[in-house]
């Protein structure tokens, strides 16, 4: 029986269930708009999805160009664009490699049955993210009530790889700095002076004047006389710079944000969402939309997505019509909100999909090299039980604790640029390794998901084929798993990962012209494009806040009261709150509570 | 770790149980819940628009459970129910309509989906709803009771219409024999009741029986009570204890604004 919709006309159709789109859909629903929310994938979250292991493998297979090139014509527009966005995708099951000997097979690898059975115990994020404890996304989560759907935990530790198989814990508070045993008193004083400066209103301070674009590293060393080690730790593990060239002012502003976030929920500026983070949070926003009457259709390809052209005025059925596979009705909407993944070329407005920069994968684009690995031993430990964050737990000489150190569940290890002696010019980037365990509900007990990420400033057509994400990132994974473990005195070789995947992700430049109704040149006043994340500098810590900011920007454009014509102008003259106040706070004592 | 104390504290006397509803459209999922939730508290309460989930306490002799009941909010219609819906659910009520044979088949596929997606220890109950339509009701009751209306809350699937008794004799409407459904439920290890959200028949019973079957000790010791809202409700191995409640701790921060 074909599925009929009870309604075919919607105020807004939102295409894509990535975090920003999902936040926007929820806001529109809460503002009383009738929302249709679509995603061609069978899962929620788009490029920020949290996937079971089986789904990760399917995701990778869909984005590997090796599989029948002849069938590429059958690919949907979305998938064709996904294949340009995600390139050099490879995965393997190193732990099981001896058992599946299939030399020269170009067919997709089969998930080992042991992992197949446990597939759903994994929530692997396509967009691993640290969520600052203050800022747009946290505000949005709380104001919308979505925070109640999801679980969060604190990032338990940040460490910097200092070379030669040693990682050092980065102090996460002033107390930590005082307790640090390795730093000299003079260094501590300089560091404290800088931290005081960085948490204040430094924009007008003489130290910053004229230094806005100076690389942060030289600013720290020259202006605050900080040592090279301390400067590296600040730049890459506190300000989350990715390149030694990252400019001072934006880095200081990020850092102030993070420093001020610390203490809100505990001794870390960052939270990690359960079940892979952003993908799960997106589902929470989608539930808000659904509860408010929004309609969800996932896993259907578009047969058509087009703008209704009538000679004058708004078409009777709405400005857009959408046909989906398996859905007999043509759906109509007044406003279209989408990411560029879905937009037909004729709607892209000057940013035609066939433009030279889009024709070949990742040409002249900023890239992320990403790696995901599942391992079955912890990387970082608290020195003693109960965990105190003051010791250098990786130093094997600390023999005073007789108890086995406790493994940390969610940690970040930062590899400053060049720390493995990699001097390739394209690769002057820090590499981050975010490690999440069972406590973040990302994998079965005793296992950990390691997310590696490096930014590649720009890749030209010539250099692109030489970029191999696996050869770029594998040395970091190997270094990580080979770090000394306090629980095993034997010097046995580290066991290979159960699963590993590497790929390149093209970061689209934000649309040159944002399609907003105010721009008179915009021929499509009711198309709103969710811009890709421009935060090239620190994707790990900035992406989640960007999603909330971008959703609010588009929301305000859509709800703009003066926007005449087909816009969903608010009845009243004043703009709506992005998140209207929650109806009722949790009472706690009543028998019945509704939210 | 600032929250470790109140997270592990045993101040919470009753156990939170997340219960999810499943079933074909128009079988009366929302009605069963409204009957259960409002019957005990406020009989004529209007359904809430946009309730994300409803809560209701269930008292047994030796324990009090606090159900957190999640409606599908229509997301099941195009197979678009998010994995989040099933997460940490300790109980499920799968509803079908005794007057629609196809709805039992759909219920069976939801049971399979639960066994695939949900916590392996989930307690599943099968509810054959609208039994009032197939049992000769006392005349006094039918005179004022309308046919069973889907409450007009926003979680009701748009356009759902309730089956109407029509002019036939009640038994002729029945398409799912009770023993057939019972046999399936026994085989699949489900609790089984025929219910009427309209008259209340079987509704409280189904939630009470679920409550008896819920392994509370297991919940207390090994899983979180409710989707993270109470922080780590219990230790899940050594890893637990670092969870935070976003709504709670924020008040402490004097200067949360950083713009």
């Amino acid at each position: 029986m074909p599925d009929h919709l009870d309604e075919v006309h919607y105020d807004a159709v939102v295409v894509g269930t990535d975090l920003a789109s999902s936040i926007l859909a929820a806001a529109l629903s809460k503002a009383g708009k009738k929302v249709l929310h679509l995603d061609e994938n069978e899962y929620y979250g788009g490029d920020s999805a949290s996937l079971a292991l089986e789904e990760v493998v399917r995701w990778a297979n869909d984005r590997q160009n090796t599989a029948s090139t002849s069938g590429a014509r059958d690919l949907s527009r979305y998938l064709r664009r996904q294949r340009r966005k995600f390139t050099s995708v490879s995965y393997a099951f190193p732990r099981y490699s001896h058992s599946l000997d299939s030399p020269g097979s170009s067919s997709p690898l089969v998930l080992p049955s042991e992992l197949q059975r446990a597939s759903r115990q994994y929530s692997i994020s396509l967009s691993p993210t640290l969520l600052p404890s203050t800022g747009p996304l946290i505000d949005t989560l709380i104001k919308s009530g979505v925070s109640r759907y999801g679980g969060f935990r604190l990032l338990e530790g940040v460490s910097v790889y200092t070379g030669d198989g040693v990682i050092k814990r980065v102090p996460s508070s002033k107390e930590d700095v005082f307790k640090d045993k390795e730093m000299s008193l003079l260094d501590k004083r300089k560091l404290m002076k800088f931290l005081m400066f960085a948490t204040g209103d430094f924009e007008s301070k003489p130290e910053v004047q004229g230094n806005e674009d100076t690389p942060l590293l030289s600013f720290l060393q020259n202006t605050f006389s900080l040592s090279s080690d301390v400067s590296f730790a600040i730049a890459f593990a506190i300000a989350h710079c990715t390149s030694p060239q990252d400019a001072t002012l934006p880095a200081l502003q990020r850092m102030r944000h993070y420093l001020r976030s610390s203490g809100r929920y505990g001794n870390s500026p960052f939270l990690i969402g359960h079940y892979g983070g952003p993908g799960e949070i997106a589902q929470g926003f989608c539930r808000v939309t659904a509860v408010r009457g929004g309609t969800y259709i996932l896993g259907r390809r578009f047969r058509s997505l087009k703008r209704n052209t009538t000679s004058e005025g708004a078409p009777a059925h709405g400005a857009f019509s959408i046909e989906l596979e398996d859905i007999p009705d043509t759906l109509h909407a007044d406003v279209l909100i989408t990411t560029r993944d879905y937009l037909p070329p004729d709607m892209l407005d000057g940013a035609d999909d066939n433009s030279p920069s889009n024709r070949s994968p990742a040409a002249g684009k900023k890239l992320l090299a990403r790696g995901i690995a599942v391992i079955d031993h912890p990387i970082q430990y608290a020195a003693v039980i109960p965990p105190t964050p003051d010791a250098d737990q990786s130093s094997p000489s600390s023999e005073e604790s007789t108890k086995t150190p406790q493994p940390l569940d969610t940690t970040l290890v930062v590899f400053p640029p060049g720390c493995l002696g990699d001097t390739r010019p394209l690769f002057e980037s820090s590499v981050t390794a975010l490690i999440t365990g069972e406590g973040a509900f990302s994998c079965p007990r005793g296992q950990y998901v390691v997310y590696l990420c490096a930014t590649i400033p720009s890749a030209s057509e010539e250099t692109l084929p030489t970029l191999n994400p696996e050869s770029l990132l594998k040395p970091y994974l190997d270094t990580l798993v080979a770090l000394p473990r306090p629980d095993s005195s034997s010097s046995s070789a580290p066991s290979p990962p159960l699963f590993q995947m590497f790929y390149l992700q093209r970061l689209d430049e934000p649309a040159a012209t944002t399609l907003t109704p105010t721009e008179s040149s915009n021929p499509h006043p009711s198309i709103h494009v969710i811009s890709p994340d421009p935060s090239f500098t620190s994707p790990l810590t900035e992406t989640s806040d960007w999603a909330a900011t971008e959703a609010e920007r588009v929301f305000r454009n859509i709800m703009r009261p003066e926007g005449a014509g087909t816009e969903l102008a608010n009845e009243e003259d004043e703009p709506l709150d992005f998140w209207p106040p929650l109806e009722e706070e949790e009472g706690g004592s009543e028998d019945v509570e509704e939210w | 770790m600032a929250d470790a104390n109140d997270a592990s504290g045993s101040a919470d006397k009753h156990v939170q149980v997340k219960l999810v509803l499943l079933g074909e459209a128009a079988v009366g999922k929302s009605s069963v819940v409204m009957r259960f939730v409002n019957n005990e508290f406020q009989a004529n309460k209007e359904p809430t628009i946009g309730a994300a989930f409803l809560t209701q306490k269930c008292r047994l002799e030796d324990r009090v459970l606090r159900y957190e009941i999640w409606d599908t909010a229509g997301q099941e219609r195009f197979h678009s129910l998010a994995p989040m819906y099933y997460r940490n659910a300790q109980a499920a009520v799968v509803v079908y309509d005794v007057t629609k044979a196809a709805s039992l088949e759909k219920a069976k596929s939801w049971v399979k989906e639960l066994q695939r997606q949900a916590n392996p220890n989930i307690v599943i109950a099968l509810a054959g709803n609208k039994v009032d339509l197939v049992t000769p009701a006392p005349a006094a009751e039918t005179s004022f009771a309308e046919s069973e209306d889907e409450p007009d809350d926003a979680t009701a699937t748009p356009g759902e219409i309730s089956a109407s008794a029509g002019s036939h004799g009640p038994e002729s409407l029945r398409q799912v024999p009770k023993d057939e459904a019972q046999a399936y439920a026994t085989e699949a290890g489900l609790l089984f009741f025929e219910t009427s959200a309209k008259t209340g028949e079987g509704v409280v019973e189904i939630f009470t029986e679920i409550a008896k079957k819920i392994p509370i000790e297991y919940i207390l010791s090994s899983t979180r009570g409710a989707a993270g809202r109470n922080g780590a409700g219990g230790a899940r191995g050594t890893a637990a204890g670092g969870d935070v409640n976003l709504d709670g701790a924020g008040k402490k921060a004097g200067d949360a604004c950083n713009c």
Side-chain angles (χ1 to χ4, degrees):
Chain A
M1 189 181 79
D3 280 317
H4 276 280
L5 280 99
D6 310 296
E7 289 281 341
V8 295
H9 181 267
Y10 296 85
D11 294 328
V13 56
V14 181
V15 187
T17 56
D18 55 283
L19 181 54
S21 300
S22 300
I23 293 171
L24 180 62
L28 288 171
S29 291
K30 280 208 164 184
K33 304 304 173 195
K34 199 164 174 46
V35 172
L36 172 66
H37 202 170
L38 308 174
D39 197 311
E40 191 178 298
N41 299 300
E42 285 177 351
Y43 50 83
Y44 283 86
D47 292 347
S48 48
S50 301
L51 301 177
L53 201 48
E54 201 181 348
E55 293 172 312
V56 172
V57 169
R58 208 176 306 141
W59 181 93
N61 290 340
D62 283 346
R63 283 153 189 81
Q64 279 176 331
N65 289 307
T66 51
S68 65
T69 323
S70 57
R73 200 154 295 180
D74 298 334
L75 293 175
S76 66
R77 177 188 300 124
Y78 171 75
L79 209 48
R80 286 199 306 273
R81 290 194 184 156
Q82 283 278 297
R83 284 185 170 200
R84 283 200 290 270
K85 188 186 275 184
F86 297 97
T87 52
S88 307
V89 184
S90 70
Y91 65 92
F93 306 98
R95 179 72 57 86
Y96 307 88
S97 57
H98 55 278
S99 59
L100 359 119
D101 239 340
S102 49
S105 75
S106 60
S107 60
L109 290 170
V110 180
L111 196 61
S113 56
E114 184 186 318
L115 294 179
Q116 176 77 53
R117 277 193 300 277
S119 167
R120 293 203 165 269
Q121 294 179 47
Y122 295 90
S123 276
I124 292 178
S125 179
L126 297 177
S127 177
T129 308
L130 290 175
L131 172 55
S133 299
T134 63
L137 185 58
I138 281 283
D139 288 351
T140 291
L141 280 166
I142 293 172
K143 286 181 185 160
S144 64
V146 170
S147 55
R148 289 154 169 164
Y149 287 135
F152 300 86
R153 63 185 291 125
L154 276 176
L155 181 68
E156 289 169 280
V158 179
S159 297
V160 174
Y161 184 79
T162 58
D164 300 324
V166 175
I167 55 173
K168 282 193 181 158
R169 190 71 173 264
V170 176
S172 55
S173 65
K174 286 174 195 161
E175 293 72 36
D176 284 358
V177 175
F178 281 123
K179 280 192 263 177
D180 192 294
K181 287 166 192 153
E182 290 198 348
M183 215 184 292
S184 76
L185 213 57
L186 183 62
D187 278 347
K188 281 186 188 181
R189 198 174 303 154
K190 287 180 191 165
L191 177 57
M192 291 305 290
K193 187 183 165 214
F194 170 70
L195 290 176
M196 291 293 288
F197 169 82
T199 45
D201 295 320
F202 47 70
E203 275 86 348
S204 55
K205 294 278 171 66
E207 289 91 335
V208 174
Q209 302 287 313
N211 272 329
E212 290 88 347
D213 300 324
T214 309
L216 180 67
L217 277 176
S218 33
F219 175 79
L220 295 173
Q221 290 170 19
N222 298 335
T223 311
F224 282 88
S225 312
L226 292 164
S227 72
S228 160
D229 276 0
V230 172
S231 302
F232 266 67
I234 290 172
F236 298 105
I238 298 181
H240 293 278
C241 293
T242 53
S243 150
Q245 272 76 50
D246 281 358
T248 292
L249 185 61
L252 282 178
Q253 286 167 335
R254 277 200 308 276
M255 196 172 156
R256 177 174 58 198
H257 176 197
Y258 306 150
L259 289 170
R260 289 184 176 180
S261 294
S262 189
R264 182 175 189 183
Y265 296 115
N267 194 17
S268 164
F270 298 112
L271 299 172
I272 292 194
H274 288 168
Y275 298 107
E280 189 79 358
I281 297 170
Q283 291 176 34
F285 283 102
C286 290
R287 182 165 166 81
V288 167
T289 310
V291 162
R292 291 276 165 172
T295 300
Y296 276 84
I297 305 178
L298 268 66
R300 307 295 205 284
R301 282 164 53 142
F302 284 80
R303 281 195 283 140
S304 72
L305 168 61
K306 57 175 185 269
R307 192 178 163 76
N308 293 333
T309 45
T310 51
S311 49
E312 260 171 50
H317 278 302
F320 299 94
S321 57
I322 301 132
E323 292 176 301
L324 298 172
E325 283 181 357
D326 304 328
I327 306 283
D329 310 291
T330 301
L331 308 172
H332 301 277
D334 296 329
V335 171
L336 168 67
I337 299 125
T338 181
T339 59
R340 294 162 75 91
D341 293 332
Y342 287 98
L343 208 55
D346 60 312
M347 293 189 191
L348 262 171
D349 186 41
D352 184 21
D353 194 40
N354 284 320
S355 63
S357 67
N358 279 351
R359 206 174 295 140
S360 63
K365 293 288 186 173
K366 290 167 179 173
L367 291 168
L368 295 180
R370 288 196 189 271
I372 299 171
V374 176
I375 58 174
D376 55 2
H377 64 85
I379 298 292
Q380 250 192 310
Y381 300 84
V384 285
I385 301 168
T388 50
D390 59 343
D392 173 18
Q393 70 284 352
S394 64
S395 146
S397 62
S398 62
E399 71 276 88
E400 70 261 24
S401 81
T402 48
K403 291 171 184 169
T404 313
Q406 189 182 8
L408 297 180
D409 189 72
T410 53
T411 57
L412 177 70
V413 178
V414 177
F415 296 86
C419 69
L420 292 193
D422 195 334
T423 52
R424 278 172 285 187
L426 271 174
F427 207 49
E428 213 185 30
S429 160
S430 65
V431 175
T432 55
L434 177 65
I435 299 143
T436 67
E438 176 208 15
F441 295 88
S442 52
C443 56
R445 175 174 294 186
Q447 298 185 10
Y448 296 84
V449 185
V450 181
Y451 297 103
L452 295 156
C453 183
T455 52
I456 300 168
S458 64
S460 64
E461 301 244 18
E462 304 82 64
T463 53
L464 188 75
T466 67
L467 279 177
N468 178 338
E470 178 165 357
S471 68
L472 287 175
L473 292 175
K474 189 70 176 12
Y476 294 88
L477 181 61
D478 292 343
T479 304
L480 212 51
V481 297
L483 288 172
R485 280 181 250 173
D487 55 334
S488 63
S489 50
S490 65
S491 56
S492 58
S495 32
L498 288 80
F499 168 76
Q500 68 184 35
M501 177 162 94
F502 297 96
Y503 58 95
L504 296 174
Q505 178 176 1
R506 197 184 75 188
L507 293 174
D508 277 308
E509 311 277 348
T513 53
T514 321
L515 308 179
T516 59
T518 44
E519 289 170 27
S520 52
S521 61
N522 174 17
H524 306 313
S526 25
I527 301 177
H528 296 266
V529 177
I530 300 261
S531 299
D533 178 11
S535 73
F536 169 63
T537 40
S538 36
L540 186 66
T541 51
E542 292 292 307
T543 306
S544 55
D545 276 341
W546 167 84
T549 307
E550 175 67 1
E552 179 160 3
R553 179 189 71 81
V554 176
F555 176 82
R556 298 215 177 280
N557 278 339
I558 294 171
M559 303 300 287
R560 192 187 299 272
E562 66 268 30
T566 54
E567 294 307 298
L568 303 180
N570 192 17
E571 308 292 298
E572 291 109 57
D573 274 348
E574 48 196 277
L576 278 178
D577 274 346
F578 186 42
W579 297 111
L582 292 174
E583 286 78 10
E584 197 180 313
E585 277 301 314
E586 185 179 10
S589 57
E590 282 181 319
D591 271 5
V592 180
E593 293 156 11
E594 298 114 10
W595 330 334
Chain B
M1 262 137 282
D3 278 12
N5 285 337
D6 48 281
S8 56
S10 53
D12 212 4
K13 280 179 228 92
H14 38 258
V15 182
Q16 293 257 23
V17 173
K18 176 176 169 181
L19 182 149
V20 294
L21 283 172
L22 290 164
E24 198 180 42
V27 295
K29 295 187 289 293
S30 306
S31 307
V32 169
V33 173
M34 295 316 288
R35 166 59 71 177
F36 173 61
V37 170
N38 291 337
N39 207 28
E40 213 176 314
F41 180 62
Q42 201 178 329
N44 296 317
K45 192 173 186 300
E46 285 297 308
T48 310
I49 300 292
F53 46 83
L54 301 170
T55 62
Q56 174 66 291
K57 278 183 196 165
C58 184
R59 289 186 179 77
L60 296 180
E61 281 170 21
D62 56 336
R63 56 174 79 157
V64 179
L65 267 71
R66 191 159 172 273
Y67 280 119
E68 187 177 87
I69 303 168
W70 289 48
D71 207 330
T72 56
Q75 280 178 302
E76 82 283 15
R77 289 198 64 208
F78 299 98
H79 312 282
S80 305
L81 211 47
M84 190 194 70
Y85 188 69
Y86 302 101
R87 301 235 201 265
N88 304 311
Q90 286 108 14
V93 176
V94 181
V95 186
Y96 70 95
D97 176 347
V98 295
T99 68
K100 279 160 80 183
S103 70
L104 178 64
E105 293 312 306
K106 192 73 205 214
K108 289 179 183 173
S109 70
W110 281 118
V111 170
K112 275 192 199 137
E113 185 72 2
L114 279 166
Q115 286 162 346
R116 199 172 70 91
Q117 292 248 29
N119 158 13
N121 298 309
I122 190 168
V123 176
I124 305 174
L126 182 68
N129 195 34
K130 302 193 184 176
V131 73
D132 56 284
L133 294 178
V134 299
T135 38
E141 190 97 29
T142 40
S143 61
F144 57 83
E146 297 289 297
S147 80
E148 177 185 318
D149 283 322
E150 191 74 25
D152 187 26
D153 70 339
T155 67
T157 317
E160 279 189 14
I161 47 152
S162 53
S164 83
S167 55
H168 303 286
E171 262 308 318
S172 67
L173 284 171
R174 183 188 275 274
Q175 287 189 3
V176 181
K178 187 172 183 180
D179 43 355
E180 181 194 323
Q182 176 71 67
Y184 161 69
T186 307
E187 186 196 327
L190 319 175
L191 295 167
F192 172 65
F193 289 88
E194 287 198 333
T195 59
S196 165
K198 183 175 116 186
T199 67
E201 179 184 343
V203 173
V204 173
E205 287 85 342
I206 208 162
F207 288 91
T208 311
E209 287 306 308
I210 290 171
K212 288 181 187 163
K213 224 181 143 185
I214 294 265
I216 290 194
E217 294 70 23
Y218 175 79
I219 292 172
L220 283 175
S221 68
S222 67
T223 64
R224 301 174 307 138
R229 290 185 303 120
N230 299 328
R236 211 179 83 144
T238 54
D243 288 359
V244 294
N245 177 355
L246 300 195
D247 304 295
K251 309 290 182 281
K252 282 187 293 196
D255 183 18
C257 173
N258 49 57
C259 35

